[in-house]
């Protein structure tokens, strides 16, 4: 598949959190979007300068602090827009400079690259995934090894089940998954790997999914790598 963009993976750290931020770089226009910028401003700025990118926007999968903490400062530097789902903005009162709300299935275009914004509640009520031609950015909705916790404010295991079924309904086996965290497996693995190794992708029963996701005494939920 010929794509018009390149994905840069940035592992950023502020103990105990390890997050993955992403730069999507449109090759023809040299424009870029930043997804979930976190923790290490110099790392993000350094990569943007290295590729000589023209930042057009910041896209946020949800409003938890570890995914949004650099959004405002980056808007001051680049005077770009920040995109987040309208549900997340309303339910959590999120606000920052140049904030633009998104609706389900809305398309954001920069250069020749289209980003389809998919409402995927479960971790939060307004979580979104961002779908491109050959990859999807899933925030804390879907990890390579599992899915996000559903016991946060606005979270719902039932909604998470529906969101994962939604992703499964359109995701080609070769679609690459770029989540907000890793538990050991590098970002960018394919959907086919999730069918093999991610139990939440394998559970087709709502009842079994909810019972397993909400089971007591879960360990290692913040053992990010």
């Amino acid at each position: 598949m010929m794509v018009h963009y390149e994905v840069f993976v940035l592992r950023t750290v502020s103990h105990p959190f390890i997050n993955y931020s992403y730069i999507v770089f449109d090759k023809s226009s040299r424009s870029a979007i930043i997804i979930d910028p976190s923790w290490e401003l110099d790392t993000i700025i350094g990569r943007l300068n290295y590729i000589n990118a023209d930042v057009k926007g910041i896209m946020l999968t949800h409003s938890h602090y570890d995914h949004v903490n650099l959004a405002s400062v980056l808007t001051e530097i680049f005077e770009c827009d920040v995109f987040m789902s309208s549900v997340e903005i309303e339910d959590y009162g999120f606000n920052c400079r140049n904030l633009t709300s998104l609706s389900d299935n809305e398309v954001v275009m920069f250069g020749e690259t289209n980003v389809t914004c998919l409402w995927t509640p479960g971790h939060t009520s307004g979580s979104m995934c961002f779908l491109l031609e050959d990859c999807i950015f899933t925030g804390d909705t879907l990890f390579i090894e599992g899915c996000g916790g559903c016991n946060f404010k606005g979270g719902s295991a039932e909604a998470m089940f529906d969101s994962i079924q939604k992703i499964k309904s359109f995701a080609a086996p070769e679609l690459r998954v770029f989540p907000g965290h890793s538990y050991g497996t590098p970002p960018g693995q394919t959907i086919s790997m999730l069918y093999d190794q991610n139990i939440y992708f394998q559970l087709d029963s709502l009842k079994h999914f909810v019972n397993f996701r909400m089971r007591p005494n879960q360990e290692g939920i913040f053992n990010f790598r």
Side-chain angles (χ1 to χ4, degrees):
M1 179 186 294
M2 180 68 69
V3 297
H4 303 288
Y5 55 84
E6 186 172 356
V7 176
F8 294 92
V9 180
L10 304 176
R11 181 180 181 271
T12 65
V13 181
S14 178
H15 187 75
F17 285 98
I18 300 173
N19 284 67
Y20 283 85
S21 301
Y22 301 97
I23 296 168
V24 182
F25 179 64
D26 183 80
K27 298 174 185 178
S28 61
S29 65
R30 307 199 69 81
S31 57
I33 57 169
I34 311 167
I35 297 174
D36 285 0
S38 60
W39 306 130
E40 299 182 21
L41 181 63
D42 289 346
T43 297
I44 295 171
I45 296 293
R47 182 55 61 91
L48 290 166
N49 289 339
Y50 181 76
I51 62 177
N52 190 27
D54 179 17
V55 178
K56 294 299 186 183
I58 296 166
M59 305 193 76
L60 304 176
T61 60
H62 64 293
S63 60
H64 286 169
Y65 183 73
D66 59 313
H67 292 257
V68 305
N69 57 78
L70 292 182
S72 287
V73 66
L74 285 166
T75 64
E76 294 175 3
I77 295 170
F78 296 108
E79 283 300 327
C80 59
D81 292 326
V82 178
F83 299 92
M84 178 182 278
S85 83
S86 59
V87 176
E88 191 80 357
I89 294 169
E90 181 175 349
D91 287 359
Y92 298 90
F94 181 80
N95 190 33
C96 73
R97 299 176 76 251
N98 302 341
L99 184 61
T100 299
S101 64
L102 297 168
S103 56
D104 189 26
N105 290 312
E106 186 169 344
V107 176
V108 175
M109 185 170 186
F110 65 105
E112 296 183 24
T113 301
N114 291 333
V115 182
T116 302
C117 306
L118 302 171
W119 180 46
T120 52
H123 182 63
T124 65
S125 59
S127 288
M128 269 193 159
C129 293
F130 302 121
L131 176 67
L132 281 72
E133 286 181 65
D134 76 336
C135 62
I136 186 169
F137 299 89
T138 55
D140 285 0
T141 296
L142 183 64
F143 306 131
I144 306 302
E145 310 89 344
C147 70
C150 301
N151 55 350
F152 298 93
K153 176 186 175 184
S156 164
E158 291 82 1
M160 181 67 83
F161 175 82
D162 289 341
S163 292
I164 290 178
Q165 299 308 305
K166 180 178 183 176
I167 293 170
K168 288 167 63 176
S169 73
F170 66 76
E174 65 273 14
L175 188 74
R176 296 179 296 152
V177 178
F178 291 100
H181 301 285
S182 167
Y183 291 88
T185 306
Q189 306 302 319
T190 62
I191 286 288
S192 61
M193 174 186 251
L194 272 67
Y195 273 109
D196 288 338
Q197 301 187 20
N198 186 330
I199 190 171
Y200 295 102
F201 240 61
Q202 299 165 0
L203 291 171
D204 292 324
S205 161
L206 172 61
K207 179 181 177 180
H208 292 159
F209 182 99
V210 171
N211 287 343
F212 187 73
R213 175 66 280 185
M214 303 306 290
R215 68 195 186 278
N217 303 319
Q218 297 182 51
E219 297 180 358
I221 60 172
F222 295 113
N223 290 346
F224 306 130
R225 299 181 187 178

